[in-house]
Amino acid sequence: MTEQFEPVIVGFLCNWCSYRAADLAGTARIKYAPNLRSIRTMCTGRVDPQFILKALRDGADGVLVAGCHPGECHYVNGNIKATRRFVLLRKVLNQLGVEDERVQLLWASASEGIRLAEKVDEMTEALRALGPLNWEEKVLHRNNGHEAAEAIAVLEEV
Amino acid sequence: MTNSEKPKLAMYWSASCGGCEISVLNIHEKILTVDEVFDVAFFPCIADFKVKDVEAYPDDHITVCLWNGAIRNSEGEEMAHLLRKKSQFMVAFGSCAYEGCIPALSNLTSKEATFDTVYKNNPTLDNPKGFIPTTSVQVPEGELTIPEFYNTVKSLDQVVDVDYYLPGCPPEPHQIWAVLQVIVGALLEGAPLPPKGSIVGVTNVAVCEECDLKKDEKTITRFYRPYEIVPEASVCLLEQGLMCMGPATRGGCGALCPEVGIGCRGCYGPMPGVEDQGGKMLSAIASVIGAGDETMEDDELEREIQAVVDTIADPAGTFYRFSMAHSLLQRAKVNGSNGKGEAA
Amino acid sequence: MTEKNNNQEKVGVYVCHCGTNISKVVDVEEVAKWAGEQPNVEVSRDYKFMCSSLGQELIEQDIKEKGLTRIVCASCSPHMHEKTFRNACERAGLNPFLFEMTNIREHDSWITDDKHAATEKAKSLVRGSIDRVVHHEPLDEIPVEINPNTLVVGGGIAGITSALELADAGYHVYLVEREPSIGGHMAQLDKTFPTLDCSACILTPKMVDVGQHDNITLLTWSEVEKVDGYLGNFTVTVRKKARFVNEEHCTGCGICIEKCPFKEVDEVFEAGMGERKVIYRPFPQAVPKYPVIDKENCVYFKTGKCKACEKFCPTEPNSIDFEQEDEMLMLDVGNIILATGYDLFDAKKIPQYGYGKLDNVFTSLEFERMVNASGPTDGKIVLRDKESKPKSVAIVHCVGSRDENYNKYCSKVCCMYSLKFAHLVHERIPDAEIYDCYIDMRTPGKGYEEFYNRLLEEGTHFIRGKVAEITDAARIPEEEGKLIVQVEDTLIGRQRRVPVDMVILSPAMEARAGSKEVSQLFKMGCDFDGFFVERHPKLDPVATMTDGIYIAGACQGPKDVPESVVQGAAAAARVAGLISRGTVMMEPVRASIDQDACSGCKICNNMCPYNAITFHEDNEVSEVITALCQGCGTCVAACPSGVITGAHFTNEQLFSQIEGILWDVRPEKTIA
Ligand SMILES: Cc1cc2nc3c(=O)[nH]c(=O)nc-3n(C[C@H](O)[C@H](O)[C@H](O)COP(=O)(O)OP(=O)(O)OC[C@H]3O[C@@H](n4cnc5c(N)ncnc54)[C@H](O)[C@@H]3O)c2cc1C
Ligand code: SF4
Ligand code: SF4
Ligand code: SF4
Ligand code: SF4
Ligand code: SF4
Ligand code: FES
């Protein structure tokens, strides 16, 4: 049996809805992929796109931002601002070659433990299919010293 | 070049446009003071020096090396190492050296794609055999070599240790002069130098502070490209939907661009403490998009916002115009030659 | 247990077994041992029950004896025990905000059986906390004084109850009601199930109490326009609409109403069943007693002629004041209770039930008015022609409730009031045939099932099935001139066509139209159906996510009078508790702006949902008013200069946490 790839997902969960949804998933003993590593923020409105970029750069294979449904944000509309940032970030990440599946936004209220768990499972599967992101090695080629060592295109004739 | 006791100045260009050299000369008559204070030890743009001259210098022979340009190829990297060794102070001069600048925008694509555009598929080309440069080629007279072209453009500090950074595309002459004065002051009068790693020739507040345009709360429902509208004079450009990086860009230039009706491009780099200028600007811009509210259903919400976002042309190129190499991700993941969805 | 010396911060890491809740899946000893080897960690232990007094003492002892400067506890959710451990730190003299909790139970041991994965995940989460906690800063909770005045919005039975409870406890209440009188829906009802006491008889004394209470300022014909501030210190702007009647002089004699020559259909109180004058009181027992002029329809306002009311008004000076204008009042209150009630589902939305097209299809509220002795038919049950007595009546449950197309939820009270209607028809027209069409009969509640049983004995025909259609298209002679109720009787498995003279629809209880706007005005949430969201559906049903804002009655979800009263009283008790404490401590999670580094770009100026950010025109910088900030961090993320700091959620703390939780996959050093 070949070992299956276990993606690392960083989750930014808002304190009032999605962090509690994750609490509820646990309390209800719903089993889901242990691949989500959660960070609590007071609101999805606190999630600076820099955090997402940082996570991708630092080895995460995916990032999940989860918060209250529109209209239910504890701070009225932090999640609306989060959505605006997410939509623009998605466009920038597209240009940077990061697949849409890797950075996702989810609304899960405190009672939607199942919804959160299902999303984590689904994302884990999607990332398995995509393979590791491993930005440092695969994109920046920092693994074996400098790019100077990289293969160089040879003379091509068309 | 008279008194050999004088401090030695070097200036070298790597991947850059040459504007930085011009802006040094743009300090006008003060260039005479520079000449008075310094011996020029290496400055290919204005005088004939050879690499072997530099190689011959003892280590730390050069007092200050103003390095402008990003690291695009192996030559740049070698020269950076050489000059670092020979210089007491290495200054990343201008945005290319500081954070990659325009050359680093090619990090949004691959080397292959760059070569393709430059050497193969371009209407102004005449290259029927489709030659592209290689590091080594055999000709009847022997082997010819040229530097190796890297896939990823880097900033100077991603290659060697840097003492000071002087941002700007190019740095403003008054700021260059101010920095030179500090260095001269230190050398001649023993005045204290800024701590290593400092970004100099800047203010600690974003460009907006220097910009005289009238600012108000921002709610942007559509972005325009500069040719699409004539902005109302004296009103913040961003509010009018013209992309302006001023809010996310460190001041020091005097808000040159916005004050003549062109949105700040962001050449002075991020504010202190900001890791990723593009990400921060993205966040700010998205925050003031005037679309989407809490009464909307999920789909409608994303759709409305998307419609406004779609009026931003080339957001990655816009937000990272100068800072791509220094950004968190540094480059794009390009579906390249190895077929695994990774940049080759 | 591992110990190690370190130079900077001394972190103590405590890994909890939670009995076996955690240790069954996570190798807690291994996590603790490993944690001891992480940078800055001075002490690392695992323990059976960290939240027990012994567990807490461990932390306290280590802080005192080993000089720990930061604490990480890897156990359950911070929503469980963050407070517990913060208190332990505080007892040992460590600022409670130098503590960080790692959730390895709800987020880890309880969601997987994979021991290896769970243990590795625990390490990542712990490392994230360690790297974060070293950047924590000591913070002080912010004391907030509670203004003892309370605003109650909505004068239905729920709001009335809240107002009286607080007023009786000695606290001042502003009761804002948008109609000319308080009373709400209950004032429209005839009798109330299951005991069938007359609604007015039990409600009127309470309304009078409200009107006369020294501690209640009653503001009817008024609406809240703006809410600023925060728990303890709200400033509320109320628009007191012009009544055109001077409340100081008016004695409520009602002569003006009598003399007013013009009538209008009363869509509100009489549900369209009756008329009222242009100058009117919704109902005789209205509180307050002062009439109000319906400006839109007043002939004087339209043509400049009439003034009959003024002519006959006996007071000196005259109480009619055509010049009166809307008044804006600013109220300072510490807490707010919302009790804005419900709307009845618009039965016209279900065209196959014929309401609005077929004359003798009535809604429940129309029927309530009809059976009411002081209503438009003096209590007589008659058809739309106002004289013919129906010989047969069908009552249709779940109109717009439990229906995918309208409202999925059960409106909870319709079964009971439908039974009440059946009873009332029996009582008034003993020989009438009554058909009650229900999907399920839902009668939980004290005395409710008994009431149902009583109805079964009274002879109502119960048909279990959802009504498909109500039509006047007769197929057989017996159906001529009747309304035919087409329904599948699921108990006998047959389609039935029941010809009747009258149909009463029992429409759903819906959230008030505009409840979204109201929830936004008060900066709290409402759900997809428009009902206000409670802080916790079970444990905190009258509080909302916004401190200082409470909800009571049907605005939170369908409920009957007893439940509305319970909530009204509960909300009042919560508020009274806060008032008697005087001050509350608030989390110091707040934003602040570095005034020297702010560029004045104003990006943040419209970020704050609480308008906590002001711009100083003189030095052109923005500032966060700490007292207004709720700490969401939206402005922090937005500031393009990165000069807004969100206390306890700083960039440094979050970046470090990201690095920490990615410790195993992170490149050695990230060149930035
Ligand atoms: C046909 C029918 C029969 C019923 N029969 C019974 C029965 O027999 N027994 C029983 O227990 N229950 C019965 N009920 C249920 C009962 O009506 C409710 O439980 C009760 O009225 C809820 O009270 P409330 O105060 O929450 O809301 P409401 O009675 O709706 O009161 C809300 C008040 O708030 C005011 N308001 C609304 N918005 C604002 C605003 N923005 N600003 C200021 N004021 C505002 C309204 O004008 C109103 O006065 C019946 C319901 C119906 C539809
Ligand atoms: S305004 Fe912006 S782009 Fe223009 S010079 Fe200044 S920093 Fe550079
Ligand atoms: S701290 Fe939490 S995890 Fe530990 S014993 Fe107590 S409840 Fe259980
Ligand atoms: S003035 Fe208006 S309110 Fe007064 S009696 Fe005439 S119509 Fe009625
Ligand atoms: S963190 Fe900022 S946006 Fe959020 S409440 Fe405070 S001031 Fe307002
Ligand atoms: S967004 Fe930042 S820089 Fe701009 S006004 Fe607000 S605090 Fe100042
Ligand atoms: S509090 Fe959950 S998204 Fe704002």
Side-chain angles (χ1 to χ4, degrees):
Chain A
M1 196 188 92
T2 53
E3 217 178 88
Q4 85 174 333
F5 161 57
E6 290 298 345
V8 172
I9 305 171
V10 173
F12 294 98
L13 310 184
C14 94
N15 180 55
W16 303 95
C17 287
S18 296
Y19 193 92
R20 288 168 200 252
D23 278 0
L24 178 65
T27 313
R29 308 299 199 277
I30 298 167
K31 301 291 179 239
Y32 64 94
N35 301 51
L36 181 79
R37 303 180 181 182
S38 56
I39 291 180
R40 184 164 59 126
T41 57
M42 291 314 279
C43 175
T44 53
R46 174 66 185 97
V47 181
D48 189 324
Q50 290 186 98
F51 298 164
I52 299 167
L53 297 166
K54 172 79 175 167
L56 295 175
R57 171 58 188 274
D58 277 7
D61 299 296
V63 176
L64 176 66
V65 178
C68 319
H69 288 272
E72 293 178 11
C73 172
H74 181 58
Y75 306 99
V76 188
N77 52 20
N79 51 1
I80 304 300
K81 280 131 193 170
T83 312
R84 294 180 188 150
R85 294 176 191 139
F86 173 78
V87 172
L88 182 52
L89 178 68
R90 183 168 57 191
K91 191 166 177 191
V92 168
L93 287 177
N94 261 317
Q95 288 184 278
L96 289 167
V98 177
E99 301 85 346
D100 282 354
E101 293 88 330
R102 295 202 187 267
V103 180
Q104 299 194 36
L105 185 64
L106 170 76
W107 306 133
S109 74
S111 59
E112 294 178 320
I114 295 185
R115 191 179 161 99
L116 185 105
E118 281 172 355
K119 182 64 167 195
V120 174
D121 277 341
E122 178 196 307
M123 206 169 158
T124 305
E125 277 314 312
L127 295 179
R128 275 200 190 114
L130 276 181
L133 182 61
N134 198 351
W135 199 267
E136 192 73 6
E137 285 181 21
K138 294 199 149 196
V139 184
L140 300 177
H141 304 280
R142 283 273 162 65
N143 51 336
N144 45 7
H146 256 286
E147 267 180 300
E150 246 177 71
I152 292 147
V154 270
L155 179 72
E156 272 180 79
E157 277 190 61
V158 183
Chain B
M1 280 165 243
T2 43
N3 190 347
S4 57
E5 292 304 298
K6 282 209 261 179
K8 313 281 182 297
L9 180 74
M11 184 158 190
Y12 182 72
W13 57 5
S14 178
S16 65
C17 70
C20 283
E21 275 85 356
I22 307 291
S23 84
V24 169
L25 300 180
N26 238 354
I27 61 178
H28 301 302
E29 73 289 346
K30 289 163 195 133
I31 196 74
L32 298 174
T33 320
V34 173
D35 184 54
E36 229 169 74
V37 177
F38 289 103
D39 270 346
V40 173
F42 185 57
F43 204 150
C45 178
I46 59 165
D48 188 13
F49 288 96
K50 298 286 183 252
V51 173
K52 63 178 187 312
D53 300 332
V54 182
E55 283 168 342
Y57 293 149
D59 287 359
D60 286 344
H61 174 78
I62 301 166
T63 322
V64 180
C65 175
L66 306 178
W67 175 287
N68 74 297
I71 309 300
R72 163 84 279 181
N73 59 21
S74 56
E75 181 195 40
E77 179 156 9
E78 281 159 29
M79 285 305 291
H81 283 293
L82 176 64
L83 283 166
R84 170 72 275 187
K85 207 161 138 229
K86 303 295 177 190
S87 312
Q88 292 167 36
F89 294 102
M90 189 73 159
V91 179
F93 187 96
S95 298
C96 294
Y98 171 33
E99 44 178 7
C101 198
I102 306 297
L105 279 178
S106 68
N107 287 359
L108 284 169
T109 180
S110 65
K111 170 167 126 180
E112 281 78 6
T114 305
F115 275 16
D116 198 69
T117 307
V118 176
Y119 298 108
K120 288 188 193 161
N121 292 314
N122 198 314
T124 59
L125 277 178
D126 182 18
N127 182 8
K129 290 192 167 172
F131 287 117
I132 59 165
T134 64
T135 49
S136 149
V137 63
Q138 285 297 320
V139 290
E141 296 81 357
E143 187 194 22
L144 286 180
T145 59
I146 55 167
E148 178 206 336
F149 188 94
Y150 292 164
N151 190 44
T152 298
V153 173
K154 290 176 200 149
S155 59
L156 181 62
D157 66 357
Q158 284 164 350
V159 171
V160 297
D161 203 27
V162 169
D163 296 293
Y164 299 118
Y165 301 85
L166 181 56
C169 182
E172 271 307 287
H174 74 278
Q175 296 288 14
I176 299 174
W177 177 238
V179 170
L180 286 176
Q181 270 181 316
V182 171
I183 295 177
V184 169
L187 294 174
L188 300 185
E189 286 136 40
L193 278 168
K196 186 177 149 115
S198 296
I199 298 167
V200 294
V202 291
T203 69
N204 288 325
V205 188
V207 172
C208 293
E209 191 213 21
E210 300 176 325
C211 174
D212 285 337
L213 299 182
K214 198 183 150 330
K215 303 158 198 71
D216 212 328
E217 285 183 10
K218 294 158 181 51
T219 304
I220 307 171
T221 50
R222 187 201 190 292
F223 290 89
Y224 296 93
R225 309 199 60 180
Y227 64 82
E228 290 177 309
I229 53 165
V230 178
E232 197 182 315
S234 80
V235 172
C236 165
L237 299 167
L238 195 53
E239 276 155 42
Q240 305 184 56
L242 285 167
M243 191 56 77
C244 178
M245 288 282 287
T249 304
R250 195 164 182 159
C253 66
L256 288 179
C257 303
E259 297 215 328
V260 295
I262 296 293
C264 164
R265 267 45 198 144
C267 75
Y268 265 62
M271 282 285 287
V274 171
E275 293 246 345
D276 190 292
Q277 185 185 15
K280 201 70 251 216
M281 186 62 186
L282 178 172
S283 185
I285 283 290
S287 301
V288 294
I289 282 178
D293 66 54
E294 55 271 36
T295 63
M296 291 178 179
E297 297 290 334
D298 300 8
D299 293 352
E300 188 190 6
L301 178 64
E302 276 200 31
R303 215 172 37 241
E304 298 268 306
I305 296 170
Q306 188 73 53
V308 180
V309 162
D310 284 343
T311 64
I312 305 177
D314 183 19
T318 303
F319 300 139
Y320 292 106
R321 194 188 309 260
F322 293 92
S323 64
M324 193 69 231
H326 232 230
S327 68
L328 280 163
L329 294 183
Q330 289 182 28
R331 62 159 300 112
K333 180 155 95 74
V334 183
N335 289 325
S337 54
N338 66 8
K340 284 190 196 149
E342 314 152 14
Chain C
M1 192 201 105
T2 359
E3 287 195 33
K4 204 173 68 183
N5 268 333
N6 223 299
N7 33 11
Q8 296 173 322
E9 298 305 343
K10 293 180 174 177
V11 182
V13 179
Y14 301 84
V15 186
C16 183
H17 296 227
C18 193
T20 57
N21 275 313
I22 295 172
S23 60
K24 203 169 70 183
V25 186
V26 173
D27 183 345
V28 286
E29 283 100 359
E30 160 67 14
V31 174
K33 186 170 146 276
W34 169 89
E37 291 150 11
Q38 302 311 302
N40 296 310
V41 176
E42 176 81 5
V43 192
S44 173
R45 303 174 192 274
D46 60 277
Y47 188 70
K48 268 264 170 262
F49 291 104
M50 280 311 301
C51 62
S52 67
S53 50
L54 287 175
Q56 296 181 49
E57 273 163 29
L58 260 181
I59 297 178
E60 290 172 52
Q61 237 171 41
D62 284 349
I63 292 173
K64 287 187 199 138
E65 287 168 14
K66 299 185 191 298
L68 299 184
T69 61
R70 297 287 187 277
I71 302 295
V72 169
C73 186
S75 50
C76 48
S77 169
H79 291 293
M80 231 23 235
H81 277 306
E82 187 171 55
K83 201 130 201 111
T84 312
F85 297 121
R86 278 186 180 170
N87 289 344
C89 293
E90 199 160 27
R91 282 196 299 276
L94 190 69
N95 183 287
F97 291 90
L98 300 178
F99 164 77
E100 174 70 6
M101 191 148 175
T102 318
N103 185 340
I104 58 167
R105 192 180 73 176
E106 285 85 342
H107 289 198
D108 192 8
S109 72
W110 277 351
I111 59 120
T112 183
D113 299 320
D114 181 337
K115 293 185 179 175
H116 175 73
T119 305
E120 290 308 302
K121 178 169 175 176
K123 287 181 186 173
S124 304
L125 297 177
V126 167
R127 178 66 193 265
S129 296
I130 296 170
D131 288 5
R132 184 191 210 278
V133 83
V134 294
H135 295 289
H136 278 202
E137 281 156 28
L139 299 170
D140 293 319
E141 294 200 313
I142 301 168
V144 172
E145 287 198 20
I146 306 286
N147 182 319
N149 300 338
T150 304
L151 170 71
V152 176
V153 184
I157 186 59
I160 289 176
T161 307
S162 293
L164 285 175
E165 292 281 338
L166 283 165
D168 287 344
Y171 303 122
H172 197 87
V173 176
Y174 297 97
L175 177 56
V176 172
E177 165 60 54
R178 71 175 173 198
E179 295 299 328
S181 168
I182 55 171
H185 281 102
M186 196 176 164
Q188 291 172 279
L189 307 181
D190 177 41
K191 298 214 160 80
T192 53
F193 62 73
T195 47
L196 298 177
D197 21 17
C198 133
S199 192
C201 312
I202 53 177
L203 179 65
T204 311
K206 293 213 166 256
M207 290 168 54
V208 172
D209 264 7
V210 169
Q212 295 178 342
H213 213 297
D214 284 344
N215 284 335
I216 298 179
T217 305
L218 181 56
L219 299 163
T220 53
W221 204 233
S222 300
E223 268 179 89
V224 175
E225 297 243 312
K226 194 160 170 267
V227 181
D228 287 315
Y230 48 94
L231 165 65
N233 300 277
F234 293 101
T235 304
V236 183
T237 313
V238 174
R239 176 186 294 273
K240 195 166 182 304
K241 293 174 278 188
R243 274 189 124 90
F244 307 107
V245 169
N246 187 318
E247 296 177 22
E248 269 171 44
H249 309 312
C250 175
T251 59
C253 68
I255 293 175
C256 55
I257 302 176
E258 220 172 276
K259 298 295 178 187
C260 175
F262 302 101
K263 282 183 177 171
E264 287 295 321
V265 176
D266 183 355
E267 296 290 351
V268 182
F269 189 78
E270 295 297 358
M273 290 290 288
E275 292 178 325
R276 59 156 170 76
K277 291 288 180 66
V278 168
I279 183 165
Y280 71 106
R281 238 188 329 238
F283 51 102
Q285 308 88 330
V287 171
K289 60 198 172 202
Y290 323 114
V292 44
I293 294 180
D294 166 7
K295 188 177 179 190
E296 302 246 301
N297 294 305
C298 168
V299 172
Y300 169 72
F301 278 111
K302 282 203 284 204
T303 67
K305 290 204 191 80
C306 180
K307 290 200 174 186
C309 48
E310 191 184 63
K311 191 150 18 130
F312 290 99
C313 176
T315 63
E316 190 53 53
N318 198 299
S319 300
I320 304 288
D321 177 5
F322 293 102
E323 306 300 310
Q324 207 176 56
E325 284 178 6
D326 289 4
E327 219 181 311
M328 293 305 238
L329 306 173
M330 304 280 274
L331 311 178
D332 290 326
V333 297
N335 291 278
I336 298 174
I337 298 173
L338 295 177
T340 52
Y342 65 99
D343 274 342
L344 207 61
F345 170 77
D346 177 7
K348 288 200 184 95
K349 285 189 190 154
I350 310 184
Q352 62 271 31
Y353 284 178
Y355 179 71
K357 284 182 306 204
L358 303 174
D359 271 351
N360 291 318
V361 177
F362 292 83
T363 67
S364 56
L365 271 181
E366 285 176 328
F367 184 78
E368 286 283 358
R369 292 313 301 149
M370 191 194 293
V371 283
N372 198 302
S374 57
T377 61
D378 301 323
K380 285 198 287 293
I381 300 175
V382 286
L383 297 180
R384 212 53 91 170
D385 64 10
K386 303 225 160 153
E387 44 192 15
S388 332
K389 266 195 196 171
K391 294 197 186 62
S392 50
V393 178
I395 301 166
V396 179
H397 290 225
C398 298
V399 176
S401 305
R402 307 180 66 201
D403 185 330
E404 288 286 329
N405 301 316
Y406 308 102
N407 297 302
K408 287 191 199 135
Y409 57 82
C410 163
S411 291
K412 208 175 179 185
V413 290
C414 338
C415 280
M416 279 305 290
Y417 76 59
S418 297
L419 291 176
K420 174 177 78 177
F421 292 172
H423 170 79
L424 292 174
V425 179
H426 267 298
E427 195 181 74
R428 315 258 160 114
I429 315 174
D431 56 349
E433 294 296 333
I434 304 164
Y435 302 89
D436 185 299
C437 307
Y438 67 101
I439 308 179
D440 296 293
M441 191 61 73
R442 299 193 164 172
T443 57
K446 196 168 172 178
Y448 289 15
E449 183 72 6
E450 292 87 328
F451 188 70
Y452 175 32
N453 288 332
R454 181 168 155 198
L455 262 290
L456 285 171
E457 281 159 25
E458 279 178 3
T460 300
H461 309 289
F462 286 97
I463 303 176
R464 184 172 191 272
K466 191 172 164 68
V467 171
E469 194 187 5
I470 295 158
T471 171
D472 57 358
R475 288 195 196 152
I476 47 172
E478 294 85 90
E479 292 178 358
E480 286 301 342
K482 301 260 183 189
L483 292 171
I484 302 105
V485 178
Q486 169 90 39
V487 56
E488 187 197 349
D489 189 331
T490 57
L491 292 181
I492 53 172
R494 259 210 356 241
Q495 285 291 336
R496 289 181 65 175
R497 285 171 65 84
V498 185
V500 291
D501 295 329
M502 176 190 244
V503 173
I504 307 166
L505 302 179
S506 299
M509 282 172 92
E510 283 189 329
R512 285 265 178 211
S515 68
K516 269 213 157 110
E517 289 70 33
V518 173
S519 75
Q520 278 160 27
L521 182 66
F522 290 91
K523 303 179 178 73
M524 35 86 73
C526 69
D527 63 21
F528 288 125
D529 298 316
F531 291 113
F532 298 149
V533 180
E534 60 286 341
R535 186 176 274 256
H536 192 285
K538 284 157 265 176
L539 303 178
D540 212 351
V542 296
T544 67
M545 290 290 193
T546 305
D547 290 320
I549 308 238
Y550 297 86
I551 48 180
C555 61
Q556 183 253 7
K559 52 180 64 65
D560 57 18
V561 169
E563 287 177 319
S564 302
V565 169
V566 166
Q567 284 205 332
R574 291 293 298 273
V575 171
L578 283 171
I579 300 173
S580 70
R581 257 161 73 189
T583 25
V584 288
M585 300 305 277
M586 303 272 281
E587 286 255 315
V589 175
R590 300 294 155 102
S592 59
I593 296 175
D594 178 350
Q595 304 282 293
D596 293 334
C598 165
S599 72
C601 72
K602 289 195 174 175
I603 293 271
C604 61
N605 284 199
N606 52 356
M607 279 304 105
C608 182
Y610 308 99
N611 303 323
I613 302 176
T614 49
F615 188 77
H616 297 294
E617 294 293 344
D618 49 345
N619 53 352
E620 298 191 314
V621 293
S622 299
E623 188 183 356
V624 173
I625 304 163
T626 316
L628 291 178
C629 170
Q630 300 292 302
C632 69
T634 301
C635 62
V636 182
C639 173
S641 287
V643 302
I644 311 186
T645 304
H648 213 52
F649 289 87
T650 65
N651 279 344
E652 207 183 19
Q653 288 161 3
L654 287 161
F655 273 122
S656 305
Q657 188 173 7
I658 295 168
E659 290 180 0
I661 63 166
L662 294 172
W663 71 285
D664 53 339
V665 290
R666 204 164 90 84
E668 272 307 298
K669 76 171 182 348
T670 311
I671 307 168

